[in-house]
């Protein structure tokens, strides 16, 4: 549809609100959480530290970090009726649908945390702790694995890996999941975070906001892209065919998942970090096929379209080499982004203004009502 004057389709470049949580410099490829560079956080911190940073605006002390770890461990267990409910969902369901249902249903058991306001920090921690359990409970049932145990001894990254793989992850596997969780934890006003803030801006509760966000993340133009990257690699088959297949797709004006970004005009810094991890994990598993194919895809897409990779290009290759099925990639994204969604909802409650833009009306204005009997058919 042609753009009318004054209409910013997709709200591109519209500054909708003020926030202290996340900064993206799209021209220089920089990403900051509460002022800290993502490259430092990915190299030196953990998901728990980053969640604390996003919620409280400062890095935790050792005691505060240990407290948060303990809380996550204690909050992982789901209410029994919710576990029973997840066990009764058809096994062929999409994990993102299960996650959306699980988040929404968990709210029914947390009446104190469904009142909007600063007390929602408890809900933020509960949801962040519970998401891996919701995903893991469903996945393990459909995979015929034994029920999940809360494992309070494990970090969030190790717990997520244990929940999905049913084995103790190695140090390297835990580290790469932790890095992925750090990298995905927030990204300014991306579509799902905006959806969460819109919901919170009506003075609705945190669980409703996160339910909106999960539904928004599910779409292939947002969180679903990493799953599609793996489908693309499987379709291409071998590195030799990359050039032909990608060129054919571009000539049909198809989008290549894992490329392009609304804000970054250069390489997404998260892609730079994950590329290196994709290589490391490939080497450790003795399988560099995905890494080599993705490098070739990058070369062709950049040459033909001038597009740079985004965070979704390499994450799927890492998860696949760990043995995680593709339909769990977006739920893993959600298990991380929940920290950012909830930080934004808390910020919204602090300085709330109903988010309600307007639209340019293109319809008719002078129709006369026709009674049903006179409409034919
Ligand atoms: N593959 C091929 N072409 C792409 C592309 C991609 N991944 N991303 C953008 N383009 C092209 C568009 O076709 C368009 O070309 P045109 O001007 O010749 O029509 C141009 O680049 C601008 O695209 P537009 O859709 O207006 O940009 P946007 O800011 O709305 O898009 C995305 C941002 C993320 C939706 C888009 O880049 C995309 O669809 N990427 C693939 C999905 C993905 O990886 N999502 C994860 C994001 S983290």
């Amino acid at each position: 549809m042609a753009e009318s004057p004054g209409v910013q389709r997709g709200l591109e470049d519209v500054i909708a609100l003020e926030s202290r949580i996340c900064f993206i410099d799209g021209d220089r490829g920089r990403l900051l959480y509460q002022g800290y560079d993502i490259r430092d956080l990915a190299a030196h911190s953990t998901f728990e530290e980053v969640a604390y940073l996003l919620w409280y605006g400062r890095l935790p002390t050792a005691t505060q970090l240990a407290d948060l770890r303990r809380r996550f461990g204690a909050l992982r267990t789901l209410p029994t009726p919710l576990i029973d409910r997840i066990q009764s969902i058809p096994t062929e369901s999409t994990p993102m649908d299960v996650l959306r249902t699980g988040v929404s249903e968990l709210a029914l058991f947390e009446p104190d945390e469904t009142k909007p306001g600063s007390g929602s920090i408890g809900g933020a921690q509960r949801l962040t702790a519970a998401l891996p359990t919701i995903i893991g409970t469903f996945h393990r049932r459909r995979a015929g694995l034994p029920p999940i145990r809360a494992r309070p001894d494990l970090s969030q990254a190790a717990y997520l890996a244990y929940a999905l793989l049913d084995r103790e992850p190695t140090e390297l596997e835990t580290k790469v999941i932790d890095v992925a969780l750090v990298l995905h934890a927030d990204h300014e006003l991306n579509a799902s975070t905006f959806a969460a803030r819109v919901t919170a801006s009506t003075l609705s509760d945190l669980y409703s906001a996160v339910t909106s966000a999960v539904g928004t993340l599910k779409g292939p133009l947002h969180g679903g892209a990493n799953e599609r990257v793996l489908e693309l690699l499987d379709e291409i088959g071998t590195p030799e065919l990359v050039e032909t297949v990608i060129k054919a797709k571009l000539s049909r004006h198809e989008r290549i998942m894992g490329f392009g970004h609304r804000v970054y005009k250069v390489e997404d810094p998260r892609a730079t970090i994950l590329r290196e991890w994709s290589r490391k994990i490939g080497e450790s598993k003795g399988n560099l096929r995905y890494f080599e194919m993705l490098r070739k895809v990058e070369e062709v897409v950049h040459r033909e379209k001038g597009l740079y990779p985004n965070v979704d290009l390499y994450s799927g290759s890492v998860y696949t080499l760990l043995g995680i099925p593709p339909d769990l990639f977006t739920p893993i994204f959600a298990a991380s982004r929940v920290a950012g969604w909830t930080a934004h909802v808390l910020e919204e409650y602090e300085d709330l203004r109903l988010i309600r833009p307007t639209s340019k009306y293109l319809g008719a204005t002078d129709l006369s009502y026709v009674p049903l009997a006179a409409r034919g058919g």
Side-chain angles (χ1 to χ4, degrees), residues 41 44-52 55-56 60-77 125-126 128-130 150-159 174-175 178 181-182:
L41 294 170
H44 306 297
S45 78
T46 59
F47 175 70
E48 285 84 346
E49 272 188 75
V50 162
Y52 189 102
W55 291 327
Y56 296 98
T61 63
T63 313
Q64 288 163 339
L65 185 60
D67 280 351
L68 185 61
R69 285 214 169 114
R70 256 194 303 278
R71 278 191 70 71
F72 280 159
L75 292 170
R76 279 179 187 149
T77 307
Q125 294 176 357
R126 170 63 159 149
T128 306
R151 296 294 306 266
D153 55 312
L154 298 180
S155 68
Q156 280 291 101
Y159 178 61
T174 304
K175 180 64 191 162
D178 204 19
L181 294 180
V182 166

Side-chain angles (χ1 to χ4, degrees), residues 312-328:
D312 287 312
L313 189 68
Y314 282 96
S315 54
S317 64
V318 168
Y319 302 147
T320 301
L321 288 171
L322 262 47
I324 297 174
D327 65 357
L328 295 177

Side-chain angles (χ1 to χ4, degrees), residues 73-100:
L75 292 170
R76 279 179 187 149
T77 307
L78 302 178
T80 308
L82 177 53
I83 296 174
D84 294 345
R85 168 94 176 100
I86 297 171
Q87 302 290 22
S88 71
I89 290 175
T91 45
E92 58 279 12
S93 305
T94 307
M96 281 302 278
D97 289 339
V98 177
L99 190 59
R100 190 194 55 229

Side-chain angles (χ1 to χ4, degrees), residues 112-232:
D112 292 343
E113 281 160 10
T114 47
K115 295 183 191 79
S118 57
S120 297
I121 184 69
Q125 294 176 357
R126 170 63 159 149
L127 276 167
T128 306
L131 253 60
T133 313
I134 297 173
I135 303 162
T137 301
F138 174 70
H139 173 62
R140 292 168 76 103
R141 176 171 151 254
R142 71 176 184 172
L145 298 171
I148 199 166
R149 289 182 294 127
R151 296 294 306 266
D153 55 312
L154 298 180
S155 68
Q156 280 291 101
Y159 178 61
L160 189 59
Y162 147 73
L164 302 183
L165 300 174
D166 192 40
R167 62 175 170 81
E168 298 294 321
T170 64
E171 219 171 283
L172 189 73
E173 289 172 333
T174 304
K175 180 64 191 162
V176 73
I177 297 264
D178 204 19
V179 169
L181 294 180
V182 166
L183 296 179
H184 287 86
D186 197 43
H187 212 228
E188 203 224 35
L189 266 200
N190 60 92
S192 56
T193 301
F194 188 57
R197 287 193 80 134
V198 170
T199 304
S201 84
T202 69
L203 258 185
S204 185
D205 66 281
L206 181 88
Y207 285 72
S208 297
V210 172
T211 305
S212 301
V214 173
T216 309
L217 185 70
K218 184 183 160 193
L221 294 188
H222 190 6
N226 54 9
E227 195 178 331
R228 304 298 189 294
V229 173
L230 256 288
E231 284 169 12
L232 173 70

Side-chain angles (χ1 to χ4, degrees), residues 187-320:
H187 212 228
E188 203 224 35
L189 266 200
N190 60 92
S192 56
T193 301
F194 188 57
R197 287 193 80 134
V198 170
T199 304
S201 84
T202 69
L203 258 185
S204 185
D205 66 281
L206 181 88
Y207 285 72
S208 297
V210 172
T211 305
S212 301
V214 173
T216 309
L217 185 70
K218 184 183 160 193
L221 294 188
H222 190 6
N226 54 9
E227 195 178 331
R228 304 298 189 294
V229 173
L230 256 288
E231 284 169 12
L232 173 70
L233 295 185
D234 288 341
E235 182 192 333
I236 297 173
T238 64
E240 297 72 46
L241 289 174
V242 167
E243 177 103 23
T244 318
V245 176
I246 295 294
K247 276 186 168 170
K249 284 185 176 293
L250 291 175
S251 70
R252 292 193 299 269
H253 301 285
E254 281 180 36
R255 282 181 187 237
I256 311 298
M257 295 293 136
F259 287 90
H261 201 274
R262 179 62 67 77
V263 185
Y264 293 114
K265 305 304 169 208
V266 294
E267 182 163 297
D268 179 337
R270 302 167 301 172
T272 318
I273 297 166
L274 278 175
R275 181 192 291 117
E276 198 42 33
W277 275 101
S278 172
R279 189 186 56 74
K280 264 189 218 165
I281 294 294
E283 278 169 359
S284 81
K285 303 280 178 192
N287 179 359
L288 281 166
R289 188 174 139 260
Y290 287 129
F291 177 76
E292 282 162 6
M293 283 177 82
L294 287 170
R295 289 298 284 158
K296 185 76 190 157
V297 175
E298 270 196 71
E299 184 199 315
V300 179
V301 173
H302 190 258
R303 182 183 351 115
E304 299 295 317
K305 290 287 286 187
L307 289 168
Y308 292 95
N310 61 49
V311 69
D312 287 312
L313 189 68
Y314 282 96
S315 54
S317 64
V318 168
Y319 302 147
T320 301

